[in-house]
Amino acid sequence: MTTIALHEMIPGFGPGVDGAYDRLDHDLLVRAYRYSDVAHAGQVRHSGEPYVSHCVEVARILADLQLDTTTVACGLLHDIVEDTDITVEDVAREFGPEIAQIVDGLTKIANLPLSSREERQVENYRKLLLSIAKDARVILIKLADRLHNMRTLDWLAPEKRRRVAQETRDLYAPLAHRFGMAKVRWELEDLAFKYLEPEAYKSLAKMVAAKRGEREALIAQMKEPLEKRLTDAGIADVEVTGRPKHLWSIYKKMQQRDRPYEDIYDLLAIRVIVPNVLECYHALGVIHDGWTPVQERIKDYIAQPKSNGYQSLHTTVFGPGRQLFEIQIRTRDMHRTADYGIAAHWLYKESAKSADELDKALAWFRQVLELQMDAETPGEFLEFLKLDLYQDEIFLFTPTGDVIQLPKGATPLDFAFAVHSQVGAHCAGAKVNGRIAPLSRELKNSETVEILTNPNAKPSRDWLAHVRTGKARHK
C-alpha cells in the first residue's frame, strides 16, 4: 500500500516528511483508524470537528517524529478506553497486549473515590509515571496528545484554556525537556506563553518579526566567513545555519536579566553540524582561532552530556561589528537526538547502543518514581515532581573524580544526599574546591565538593530552605 493510499484511507493523515510514513505497517494503521472511528462515532470536539480527527492528528505528530507503527497506532487509539465503551481487554483482543498496555497507560483513572480535583490529578500523574517506567512510548504519545490540544486551545473557554496552558508549562514542557525532545518542548512553551501572557506574547512576536531582516543579515555576515574558514581547515561536509530562538526563551531571558529585547545577544545563534566528534573539537579550535570567545560561555556537553542525552559544544564569540554570536557545534546524530530526544531511539531500537542510551535517559525518572512512592500528600508529590523537572543542570565532582549531576542552584546539601542518603543525614559541613563552604552556598559548574560527616550530626529543619532536589527535601 502506498502513502497516497494510506492518506485516502485515513483522512488528514500524510503525506509524510521525507517518506517518513513509508516504513510503517499501513494495514495495521488503517485497522486502528477504522476501530477508533467507529468507537468515537457521534463524538465531536469543541471546534465541531469529529473527535477522531484529533486522534489522526496525534498519530501524524508521532509519524513525523519517525516513531514505530505500534506507537503511531496507539496515537489513533489513545482516547478509546477513556472516552468510549471500549475496554482495555477489547483492545488486547483486537490489537494484542503491547498496544493494550500502552493505551491503558494513557487512560486516566475513572471513578476514584477522591475528595478533591488535586488528588484525582495527582493519582493520574502517578499512573502516567508508572506507565512510562513500563514503556517510555507512553510519554511520547502523551506529549503528542498535549501538543495537538495546545494547538487547538482557542476553542476552549478562557478559564479552561489558562488551566491547560499552566499545566503544560509546569509539567508537560519540562517532561519534554527531560526526555530530550527540544522541538516539542519549544512549541509547548510558546503556546503556553501565548495563552498565559497574551499581551507580552503579542508584543514580543511583533518585535521579533520587525527585527527579522536585520537579524538574518547579521547571521549571513557571520555565516559566510565561518563556513569558508571551516572548509579551508579541511572539515568536509560541514553545515552552517542560523538557529531560531523561540519566544518563551527570549522572554525569560529579558525577565531574568531585566533587559530590553534589543540587548538579548543570544538572539544571534548559529549551528555548525560536522561529520564526527573529532571534527566538533577541530571546528571549535578553528572558530576560537578566528573570533574572540567569551571565556565563561564555553560549554562542553559532548564530554559531559546532559541527563536527557543532549550533546553539543557551545561557545559565544565576538563576530562582525563586535556583535555576540552563540554557536553550537554537533554531529548529525547529536542533532537528531537534540530535536527528537528519546523518540530518536525508536529509529534504531534493535541496536544495543540505543537500548543502553534509553536506559540512561530513564535513570532520573526512576529516582522520581522512588520519591513519589514516599509522598504522603498530593501537594508533596507535585512538589517533588516539579523539583525534579528542573531545566538547567550543573556537573560537579567528588574528591575521587566521580561526576554528580544536579539542578542549577543546588547546594552542598543536595550534593550530600545525591552521594548517599546516609552521607546527607550525617552531613556536618562541606569543602568546595578545598575550602570550607556554608551548606547554603550555591554550587557552580565543575566544582569539586567534599562532604564532611559526623555520626552525631542530623538534619535540621533550616536545611529545607537550602535544598533544590526532591530527594534532599524528602530525606
Side-chain angles (χ1 to χ4, degrees), residues 54-334:
H54 164 66
C55 305
V56 171
E57 284 302 319
V58 170
R60 200 153 68 81
I61 290 167
L62 295 166
D64 286 340
L65 286 169
Q66 302 192 17
L67 287 159
D68 61 328
T69 302
T70 300
T71 313
V72 179
C74 289
L76 289 164
L77 300 165
H78 74 278
D79 274 335
I80 206 162
V81 173
E82 192 172 309
D83 293 342
T84 77
D85 294 333
I86 301 286
T87 65
V88 174
E89 292 71 32
D90 295 332
V91 177
R93 268 194 301 276
E94 190 68 32
F95 297 100
E98 185 183 18
I99 285 178
Q101 182 181 299
I102 294 171
V103 171
D104 183 37
L106 291 156
T107 304
K108 287 181 184 162
I109 304 166
N111 310 317
L112 278 175
L114 297 172
S115 58
S116 73
R117 187 176 169 277
E118 186 190 39
E119 279 184 318
R120 186 179 299 279
Q121 187 183 36
V122 165
E123 286 312 312
N124 282 320
Y125 288 157
R126 278 191 210 261
K127 183 186 177 191
L128 177 66
L129 294 180
L130 288 165
S131 302
I132 295 165
K134 282 186 204 158
D135 193 322
R137 286 174 289 186
V138 168
I139 191 58
L140 301 176
I141 299 159
K142 193 71 191 167
L143 289 170
D145 173 42
R146 178 53 59 123
L147 183 55
H148 185 247
N149 281 332
M150 287 298 291
R151 285 174 180 173
T152 53
L153 212 54
D154 275 337
W155 299 99
L156 297 187
E159 190 41 52
K160 185 147 191 211
R161 274 204 298 256
R162 285 193 66 77
R163 198 170 73 233
V164 173
Q166 192 66 55
E167 184 187 45
T168 299
R169 180 182 284 176
D170 289 348
L171 189 75
Y172 289 102
L175 272 171
H177 169 73
R178 290 306 300 258
F179 283 111
M181 301 173 70
K183 272 190 162 177
V184 172
R185 171 203 167 189
W186 292 337
E187 190 176 347
L188 287 175
E189 284 179 342
D190 277 0
L191 287 166
F193 179 28
K194 178 182 172 183
Y195 291 103
L196 291 170
E197 287 100 7
E199 292 311 313
Y201 176 88
K202 274 184 215 154
S203 157
L204 184 57
K206 220 180 259 182
M207 282 191 275
V208 170
K211 294 268 184 183
R212 181 167 285 129
E214 189 184 315
R215 200 167 61 248
E216 284 169 0
L218 280 165
I219 283 173
Q221 276 179 44
M222 179 69 176
K223 184 180 169 230
E224 286 162 31
L226 177 55
E227 217 158 33
K228 185 175 185 315
R229 265 185 181 264
L230 294 169
T231 311
D232 289 350
I235 303 175
D237 195 21
V238 64
E239 207 179 300
V240 180
T241 54
R243 183 169 60 85
K245 282 278 186 177
H246 63 297
L247 295 174
W248 176 239
S249 91
I250 297 170
Y251 183 70
K252 267 200 312 189
K253 285 196 169 103
M254 287 164 61
Q255 300 293 101
Q256 283 161 2
R257 298 175 194 171
D258 196 22
R259 304 290 283 278
Y261 169 70
E262 289 73 18
D263 288 0
I264 305 295
Y265 57 76
D266 315 59
L267 293 176
L268 294 169
I270 284 178
R271 186 171 287 136
V272 174
I273 297 180
V274 295
N276 55 54
V277 173
L278 204 60
E279 296 290 33
C280 288
Y281 290 100
H282 184 185
L284 183 69
V286 171
I287 291 165
H288 287 177
D289 185 46
W291 292 273
T292 306
V294 179
Q295 284 304 322
E296 66 274 13
R297 288 180 61 89
I298 302 167
K299 290 174 185 160
D300 185 346
Y301 293 119
I302 294 179
Q304 292 178 329
K306 292 190 178 186
S307 57
N308 62 13
Y310 176 87
Q311 287 183 290
S312 259
L313 296 175
H314 290 195
T315 185
T316 298
V317 300
F318 289 95
R322 299 291 290 165
Q323 181 72 51
L324 283 158
F325 287 81
E326 186 187 69
I327 302 174
Q328 291 177 347
I329 307 158
R330 58 175 73 152
T331 66
R332 281 173 182 79
D333 273 357
M334 289 171 194

Side-chain angles (χ1 to χ4, degrees), residues 412 430-438 441 443-444 447-450:
K431 283 185 179 179
V432 178
N433 298 334
R435 293 182 169 194
I436 293 288
R441 177 190 183 281
L443 298 170
K444 295 187 175 63
E447 289 185 320
T448 298
V449 184
E450 182 187 348

